[in-house]
Amino acid sequence: MGRPLHPQHVSDQSYLLSYEAGLPPVRLHGLRHGAASLMLAAGVDVKIVQETLGLVSSTFTRDTLTSVYPEVARAAAESTAALISAAPDAGHTRLITLPARV
């Protein structure tokens, strides 16, 4: 049967493996944040991310662990622009109607 690992030993092993793989050193806690951010960016429900990481609340998860990746921000901007500029005959409903210029 195994014994509990000392946190510093786990961190040291992580740094060693990163070094040997030619990767920059990343704290294990940083990997946890990264995993949560990737899950959220992939569209995983925040409650599932919270439970997967064993966090106290989904609010904490959303407010603390969310990073907006450039690709996600770009996709959100493009989706919003498409919704606003969609022609009514394209099967979309316009959210606003601007008055005609006089």
Side-chain angles (χ1 to χ4, degrees):
M1 181 124 312
R3 297 179 315 196
L5 297 173
H6 189 280
Q8 189 59 53
H9 175 72
V10 175
S11 292
D12 291 345
Q13 288 300 114
S14 173
Y15 287 132
L16 177 62
L17 290 171
S18 295
Y19 175 78
E20 289 175 347
L23 300 171
V26 177
R27 290 179 36 224
L28 292 174
H29 196 73
L31 294 175
R32 180 179 169 89
H33 282 246
S37 294
L38 286 171
M39 290 173 73
L40 293 167
V44 175
D45 184 82
V46 69
K47 185 68 176 169
I48 293 171
V49 175
Q50 175 228 327
E51 290 182 6
T52 299
L53 297 178
L55 299 169
V56 175
S57 73
S58 57
T59 302
F60 173 82
T61 304
R62 184 178 45 253
D63 293 347
T64 307
L65 301 180
T66 304
S67 296
V68 178
Y69 291 95
E71 298 82 7
V72 174
R74 185 174 31 262
E78 289 173 0
S79 295
T80 303
L83 180 65
I84 292 171
S85 64
D89 62 347
H92 296 91
T93 304
R94 290 184 68 97
L95 296 177
I96 59 173
T97 302
L98 299 175
R101 286 191 157 180
V102 187

